[in-house]
Amino acid sequence: GVEANSRAAKQIAAQSQATPPGGVEPPMGQRPLLLSVDDDDINQEVIEQTFGTEYRVVRAMTGMEAFAYIDSGKEFPSVMLLDVMMPGMTGFEVVREVRNKRALSHTQLPVVMLSARSPQDATASEAFESGATDYMQKPFSAAVL
């Protein structure tokens, strides 16, 4: 369950040891920062409940809010959890901008996309083609994430 998801998130965050492009690094001994991008308050609460002991969670309700945080010069996130289906910019558009326009690599900003959209195989393929580091189906198991 939750342990496996937490392990995967820790592994992804550990891979992102490159100096953040902009922003500041977390203070020594502080939990890494997770940027959760989802337009649903309940999903955001689940993310915070699942990862709040391992990560400090910053919420963004839209892709534009996520970019506003990234561009703010505040602490750079160790990992981004990104919903696929959102109003305005979809998760696919957000991750394409992260990889292409902002030139952030998988090690600089790992992006784990989450979706309940069907068909799952096609959604996962589009997520990876768009630049996702990993993909999880909703509802997700904390152990797997």
Side-chain angles (χ1 to χ4, degrees):
V2 174
E3 298 81 25
N5 282 345
S6 182
R7 270 196 308 269
K10 283 182 195 175
Q11 289 171 343
I12 290 171
Q15 293 169 1
S16 65
Q17 295 304 314
T19 302
V24 295
E25 296 188 32
M28 286 298 292
Q30 200 163 90
R31 295 171 301 169
L33 187 77
L34 181 151
L35 178 58
S36 176
V37 187
D38 195 313
D39 62 312
D40 185 280
D41 284 321
I42 293 171
N43 290 341
Q44 290 281 22
E45 190 60 37
V46 169
I47 295 295
E48 202 158 318
Q49 291 297 318
T50 302
F51 296 105
T53 58
E54 299 291 327
Y55 290 87
R56 289 169 296 124
V57 178
V58 171
R59 295 181 184 191
M61 303 303 284
T62 66
M64 294 309 291
E65 283 184 24
F67 290 126
Y69 179 84
I70 289 170
D71 295 340
S72 71
K74 294 179 182 173
E75 183 183 336
F76 198 77
S78 297
V79 64
M80 177 190 287
L81 293 185
L82 177 61
D83 185 33
V84 168
M85 300 303 296
M86 296 183 295
M89 293 180 86
T90 67
F92 302 126
E93 293 168 321
V94 171
V95 76
R96 277 194 291 271
E97 182 163 329
V98 163
R99 299 292 179 234
N100 301 327
K101 292 183 184 171
R102 295 171 188 253
L104 296 172
S105 70
H106 291 276
T107 55
Q108 289 172 314
L109 182 58
V111 177
V112 179
M113 295 191 76
L114 306 170
S115 182
R117 190 176 107 166
S118 292
Q120 285 294 321
D121 289 348
T123 303
S125 292
E126 188 171 354
F128 288 119
E129 288 167 11
S130 297
T133 307
D134 208 347
Y135 172 84
M136 291 288 308
Q137 180 176 340
K138 286 186 196 174
F140 63 87
S141 158
V144 174
L145 188 59

